[in-house]
Amino acid sequence: MAEKVKICDRTFEVMIPATQIAESVERVAERLNANFTDEDNVVLLGILNGSFIFLSDLVRKLNFRVEISFVKIASYEGCNSTGEVREMIGLKSSVKGRKVVIVEDIVDTGHSITHITALLRAQKVASYDVCTLFFKPAAYQGKEEIKYRAMEIGNEFIVGYGLDYNELGRELADIYVTKC
Ligand code: IMP
Ligand code: MG
């Protein structure tokens, strides 16, 4: 793995190696496996774009049946939240009465999760839980419980394993950090 990568105007340093990410994904999958069975008819709702790698690794560790759906939203420009959540692809399948597990790459201010959970309540889902690869507790301003968190970080800006800086860096297998 490269120690440093340059993306646009910023230098990023390696922070979490792929092996450690895999262990965290395994642990969070075990918690989901303990709490859900086939009969729950779970819908995994991936939040695009950032969750695509996490969701694809996670789903192969689950031992209960799931359906997979996606929504696409955006709230970030560069390394800062705009505070406004734009919906680019809405909910395509009906989730009424279903148990939904929201799969996020990272929960930061919580604006995105607040937006998605309001959407799910309006759809009258049976239940929803949040499962995120990363959680930034010091930045979180939301009210929703973030039940399944694979890893926690400080107020840092990271890229790799699906997470981007200006849409770049998602393909990196390890997590890299920059100072904003
Ligand atoms: P929130 O709405 O502030 O919780 O931000 C959530 C979204 O912002 C995530 O789904 C990411 O797409 C993006 N985001 C937040 N922090 C980072 C980061 O450190 N790196 C890359 N994207 C981030
Ligand atoms: Mg995201």
Coordinates of all heavy atoms in Angstrom, one line a residue, residues 43-94:
V43 N -34.7 -5.5 4.4 CA -34.2 -4.7 3.2 C -33.0 -4.0 3.6 O -33.0 -3.2 4.6 CB -35.2 -3.7 2.7 CG1 -34.7 -2.9 1.5 CG2 -36.6 -4.4 2.3
L44 N -31.8 -4.2 3.0 CA -30.6 -3.4 3.2 C -30.7 -2.2 2.2 O -30.9 -2.4 1.0 CB -29.4 -4.2 2.8 CG -28.8 -5.3 3.7 CD1 -27.4 -5.7 3.2 CD2 -28.7 -4.8 5.2
L45 N -30.7 -1.0 2.8 CA -30.8 0.2 2.0 C -29.5 0.9 2.0 O -29.1 1.6 2.9 CB -31.9 1.1 2.6 CG -32.2 2.3 1.8 CD1 -32.8 2.0 0.4 CD2 -33.2 3.2 2.5
G46 N -28.8 0.7 0.9 CA -27.4 1.3 0.7 C -27.6 2.8 0.3 O -28.4 3.1 -0.5
I47 N -26.8 3.6 0.9 CA -26.8 5.0 0.6 C -25.6 5.3 -0.4 O -24.4 5.2 0.0 CB -26.7 6.0 1.8 CG1 -27.6 5.5 3.0 CG2 -26.9 7.4 1.4 CD1 -29.1 5.5 2.6
L48 N -26.0 5.6 -1.6 CA -24.9 5.8 -2.7 C -24.4 7.2 -2.6 O -25.1 8.1 -2.2 CB -25.6 5.6 -4.0 CG -26.0 4.1 -4.3 CD1 -26.7 4.1 -5.7 CD2 -24.7 3.2 -4.3
N49 N -23.2 7.5 -3.0 CA -22.3 6.5 -3.6 C -21.4 5.8 -2.6 O -21.0 4.6 -2.8 CB -21.3 7.1 -4.6 CG -22.0 7.7 -5.8 OD1 -23.1 7.2 -6.2 ND2 -21.5 8.7 -6.5
G50 N -21.2 6.4 -1.5 CA -20.1 6.0 -0.6 C -20.2 4.6 0.0 O -19.2 4.0 0.3
S51 N -21.4 4.0 0.1 CA -21.6 2.7 0.8 C -21.3 1.5 -0.1 O -21.4 0.4 0.3 CB -23.0 2.6 1.4 OG -23.9 2.4 0.4
F52 N -21.0 1.7 -1.4 CA -21.1 0.6 -2.3 C -20.1 -0.5 -2.0 O -20.4 -1.7 -2.2 CB -21.0 1.0 -3.8 CG -19.6 1.4 -4.3 CD1 -18.9 0.6 -5.2 CD2 -19.0 2.6 -3.9 CE1 -17.6 0.9 -5.6 CE2 -17.7 2.9 -4.4 CZ -17.1 2.1 -5.2
I53 N -18.9 -0.2 -1.5 CA -17.9 -1.2 -1.2 C -18.2 -1.9 0.1 O -18.2 -3.1 0.3 CB -16.5 -0.6 -1.2 CG1 -16.1 -0.2 -2.6 CG2 -15.4 -1.7 -0.7 CD1 -14.7 0.3 -2.8
F54 N -18.5 -1.0 1.1 CA -18.9 -1.6 2.5 C -20.1 -2.5 2.3 O -20.1 -3.7 2.8 CB -19.3 -0.4 3.4 CG -19.8 -0.8 4.7 CD1 -19.2 -1.9 5.5 CD2 -20.8 -0.1 5.3 CE1 -19.7 -2.2 6.7 CE2 -21.3 -0.5 6.6 CZ -20.8 -1.5 7.3
L55 N -21.1 -2.1 1.6 CA -22.3 -3.0 1.5 C -22.0 -4.3 0.8 O -22.4 -5.3 1.2 CB -23.4 -2.2 0.7 CG -24.8 -3.0 0.7 CD1 -25.9 -2.0 0.8 CD2 -25.0 -3.8 -0.5
S56 N -21.1 -4.2 -0.3 CA -20.9 -5.5 -1.0 C -20.0 -6.4 -0.1 O -20.2 -7.6 -0.2 CB -20.2 -5.2 -2.3 OG -19.1 -4.4 -2.2
D57 N -19.1 -5.9 0.7 CA -18.4 -6.8 1.6 C -19.3 -7.3 2.7 O -19.2 -8.5 3.1 CB -17.2 -6.1 2.2 CG -16.0 -6.0 1.2 OD1 -16.0 -6.7 0.2 OD2 -15.0 -5.3 1.5
L58 N -20.1 -6.4 3.3 CA -21.0 -6.7 4.4 C -21.9 -7.8 4.0 O -22.1 -8.8 4.8 CB -21.7 -5.5 4.9 CG -22.7 -5.6 6.0 CD1 -21.9 -5.8 7.3 CD2 -23.6 -4.4 6.2
V59 N -22.6 -7.7 2.9 CA -23.7 -8.6 2.5 C -23.2 -10.0 2.4 O -23.9 -11.0 2.7 CB -24.4 -8.1 1.2 CG1 -23.6 -8.3 0.0 CG2 -25.8 -8.6 1.1
R60 N -21.9 -10.2 2.0 CA -21.4 -11.5 1.9 C -21.0 -12.2 3.2 O -20.6 -13.3 3.3 CB -20.2 -11.5 0.9 CG -20.7 -11.4 -0.5 CD -19.5 -11.2 -1.5 NE -18.9 -9.9 -1.4 CZ -17.9 -9.5 -2.0 NH1 -17.3 -10.4 -2.8 NH2 -17.4 -8.3 -1.9
K61 N -21.1 -11.4 4.3 CA -20.9 -11.9 5.6 C -22.1 -12.2 6.4 O -22.1 -12.7 7.5 CB -20.0 -10.9 6.5 CG -18.7 -10.5 5.8 CD -17.6 -11.5 6.1 CE -16.3 -11.1 5.5 NZ -15.6 -12.3 5.0
L62 N -23.3 -11.9 5.8 CA -24.6 -12.0 6.5 C -25.1 -13.4 6.3 O -25.0 -14.0 5.2 CB -25.6 -11.0 6.0 CG -25.2 -9.5 6.2 CD1 -26.3 -8.6 5.7 CD2 -24.9 -9.2 7.7
N63 N -25.7 -14.0 7.3 CA -26.3 -15.4 7.2 C -27.8 -15.4 7.3 O -28.4 -16.4 7.5 CB -25.6 -16.3 8.2 CG -25.9 -15.9 9.6 OD1 -26.8 -15.1 9.9 ND2 -25.1 -16.4 10.6
F64 N -28.4 -14.2 7.0 CA -29.9 -14.2 6.9 C -30.2 -13.5 5.5 O -29.4 -12.8 4.9 CB -30.5 -13.4 8.0 CG -30.0 -11.9 8.2 CD1 -30.7 -10.9 7.6 CD2 -28.8 -11.7 8.9 CE1 -30.2 -9.6 7.7 CE2 -28.4 -10.4 9.0 CZ -29.1 -9.3 8.5
R65 N -31.4 -13.8 5.0 CA -31.8 -13.4 3.7 C -32.1 -11.9 3.7 O -32.7 -11.4 4.6 CB -33.1 -14.2 3.3 CG -33.5 -14.2 1.9 CD -34.7 -15.0 1.7 NE -35.8 -14.7 2.5 CZ -36.7 -15.5 3.0 NH1 -36.6 -16.8 2.8 NH2 -37.7 -15.1 3.8
V66 N -31.6 -11.3 2.6 CA -31.9 -9.8 2.5 C -32.3 -9.4 1.1 O -31.9 -10.1 0.2 CB -30.6 -8.9 2.9 CG1 -30.3 -9.0 4.4 CG2 -29.4 -9.3 2.0
E67 N -33.0 -8.4 1.0 CA -33.2 -7.7 -0.3 C -32.3 -6.5 -0.3 O -32.1 -5.9 0.8 CB -34.6 -7.3 -0.5 CG -35.5 -8.4 -1.0 CD -37.0 -7.9 -1.2 OE1 -37.2 -6.8 -1.6 OE2 -37.8 -8.7 -0.8
I68 N -31.8 -6.0 -1.4 CA -30.9 -4.9 -1.5 C -31.5 -3.8 -2.3 O -32.0 -4.0 -3.4 CB -29.6 -5.3 -2.0 CG1 -28.9 -6.4 -1.1 CG2 -28.6 -4.1 -2.1 CD1 -27.7 -6.9 -1.6
S69 N -31.5 -2.6 -1.8 CA -32.0 -1.4 -2.5 C -31.1 -0.3 -2.2 O -30.3 -0.3 -1.3 CB -33.5 -1.1 -2.0 OG -34.1 -0.2 -2.9
F70 N -31.2 0.8 -3.1 CA -30.3 1.9 -2.9 C -31.0 3.2 -3.0 O -32.0 3.3 -3.7 CB -29.2 1.9 -4.0 CG -28.2 0.8 -3.8 CD1 -28.3 -0.4 -4.6 CD2 -27.1 0.9 -3.0 CE1 -27.4 -1.4 -4.5 CE2 -26.2 -0.1 -2.8 CZ -26.3 -1.3 -3.6
V71 N -30.6 4.2 -2.3 CA -30.9 5.6 -2.6 C -29.6 6.4 -2.9 O -28.6 6.0 -2.3 CB -31.8 6.3 -1.5 CG1 -33.1 5.7 -1.4 CG2 -31.1 6.3 -0.2
K72 N -29.7 7.4 -3.6 CA -28.5 8.3 -3.9 C -28.8 9.7 -3.4 O -29.7 10.3 -3.8 CB -28.2 8.2 -5.3 CG -27.0 9.1 -5.7 CD -26.5 8.8 -7.1 CE -25.6 9.9 -7.5 NZ -24.4 9.4 -8.2
I73 N -28.0 10.1 -2.4 CA -28.1 11.5 -1.9 C -26.7 12.1 -1.9 O -25.7 11.4 -1.9 CB -28.7 11.5 -0.5 CG1 -27.9 10.7 0.5 CG2 -30.2 11.1 -0.5 CD1 -28.4 10.8 1.9
A74 N -26.7 13.4 -1.8 CA -25.4 14.1 -1.7 C -25.5 15.3 -0.7 O -26.5 16.0 -0.7 CB -24.9 14.6 -3.0
S75 N -24.5 15.5 0.1 CA -24.6 16.6 1.0 C -23.2 17.3 1.2 O -23.0 18.3 1.9 CB -25.1 16.2 2.4 OG -24.2 15.3 3.0
Y76 N -22.2 16.7 0.6 CA -20.8 17.1 0.9 C -20.2 17.8 -0.4 O -20.4 17.4 -1.5 CB -19.9 15.9 1.2 CG -19.4 16.0 2.6 CD1 -20.3 15.8 3.7 CD2 -18.0 16.2 2.9 CE1 -19.8 15.8 5.0 CE2 -17.6 16.2 4.2 CZ -18.4 16.0 5.2 OH -18.0 16.1 6.5
E77 N -19.4 18.9 -0.1 CA -18.6 19.5 -1.2 C -17.2 19.6 -0.7 O -17.0 20.2 0.4 CB -19.2 20.9 -1.5 CG -20.2 20.8 -2.6 CD -21.0 22.2 -2.8 OE1 -20.4 23.2 -2.4 OE2 -22.1 22.1 -3.3
G78 N -16.3 18.9 -1.4 CA -14.9 18.9 -0.9 C -14.9 18.2 0.4 O -15.3 17.0 0.5
C79 N -14.3 18.8 1.5 CA -14.3 18.1 2.8 C -15.3 18.7 3.8 O -15.1 18.5 5.0 CB -13.0 18.0 3.5 SG -11.5 18.5 2.7
N80 N -16.3 19.4 3.3 CA -17.3 19.9 4.3 C -18.7 19.6 3.9 O -19.1 19.6 2.7 CB -17.2 21.5 4.3 CG -15.8 21.9 4.8 OD1 -15.5 21.6 6.0 ND2 -15.0 22.5 4.0
S81 N -19.5 19.4 5.0 CA -21.0 19.2 4.8 C -21.6 20.5 4.4 O -21.3 21.5 5.0 CB -21.6 18.6 6.1 OG -23.0 18.6 5.9
T82 N -22.5 20.5 3.4 CA -23.2 21.7 3.0 C -24.4 22.0 3.9 O -25.0 23.0 3.9 CB -23.7 21.6 1.6 OG1 -24.6 20.5 1.5 CG2 -22.6 21.4 0.6
G83 N -24.8 20.9 4.7 CA -25.9 21.0 5.6 C -27.2 20.8 4.9 O -28.3 20.7 5.4
E84 N -27.2 20.7 3.5 CA -28.4 20.5 2.7 C -28.2 19.1 2.0 O -27.2 18.8 1.5 CB -28.4 21.6 1.7 CG -29.6 21.5 0.8 CD -29.3 22.2 -0.6 OE1 -28.3 23.0 -0.7 OE2 -30.0 21.9 -1.5
V85 N -29.3 18.3 2.1 CA -29.2 17.0 1.5 C -30.0 17.0 0.2 O -31.2 17.3 0.2 CB -29.8 15.9 2.5 CG1 -29.8 14.5 1.9 CG2 -29.0 15.9 3.8
R86 N -29.3 16.6 -0.9 CA -30.0 16.5 -2.2 C -30.3 15.1 -2.5 O -29.4 14.2 -2.4 CB -29.2 17.2 -3.3 CG -29.2 18.7 -3.2 CD -28.2 19.3 -4.2 NE -26.8 18.9 -3.9 CZ -26.0 18.5 -4.8 NH1 -26.3 18.4 -6.1 NH2 -24.8 18.1 -4.5
E87 N -31.5 14.8 -3.0 CA -31.8 13.4 -3.3 C -31.7 13.2 -4.8 O -32.3 14.0 -5.6 CB -33.3 13.1 -2.9 CG -33.5 11.7 -2.6 CD -34.9 11.5 -2.0 OE1 -35.1 12.0 -0.8 OE2 -35.8 11.0 -2.6
M88 N -30.8 12.3 -5.3 CA -30.6 12.2 -6.7 C -31.3 11.0 -7.3 O -31.8 11.0 -8.4 CB -29.1 12.1 -7.0 CG -28.6 13.6 -7.0 SD -27.4 13.7 -5.7 CE -26.0 14.1 -6.8
I89 N -31.4 9.9 -6.5 CA -32.2 8.7 -6.9 C -33.0 8.4 -5.6 O -32.4 8.1 -4.6 CB -31.3 7.5 -7.3 CG1 -30.4 7.8 -8.4 CG2 -32.2 6.3 -7.6 CD1 -29.5 6.7 -8.8
G90 N -34.3 8.4 -5.7 CA -35.2 8.2 -4.6 C -35.4 6.7 -4.4 O -34.8 5.9 -5.0
L91 N -36.3 6.4 -3.4 CA -36.6 5.0 -3.1 C -37.4 4.4 -4.2 O -38.4 4.9 -4.6 CB -37.4 5.1 -1.8 CG -37.4 4.0 -0.8 CD1 -35.9 3.6 -0.5 CD2 -38.1 4.5 0.5
K92 N -36.9 3.3 -4.8 CA -37.5 2.8 -6.0 C -38.5 1.6 -5.6 O -39.5 1.4 -6.2 CB -36.5 2.2 -7.0 CG -35.7 3.3 -7.7 CD -36.5 4.0 -8.8 CE -35.6 4.9 -9.6 NZ -35.8 6.4 -9.3
S93 N -38.1 0.9 -4.5 CA -39.0 -0.2 -4.2 C -39.8 0.1 -2.9 O -39.4 1.0 -2.1 CB -38.1 -1.5 -3.9 OG -37.1 -1.1 -3.0
S94 N -40.9 -0.6 -2.7 CA -41.8 -0.3 -1.6 C -41.2 -0.9 -0.3 O -40.8 -2.1 -0.3 CB -43.2 -0.9 -1.8 OG -43.9 -0.8 -0.6

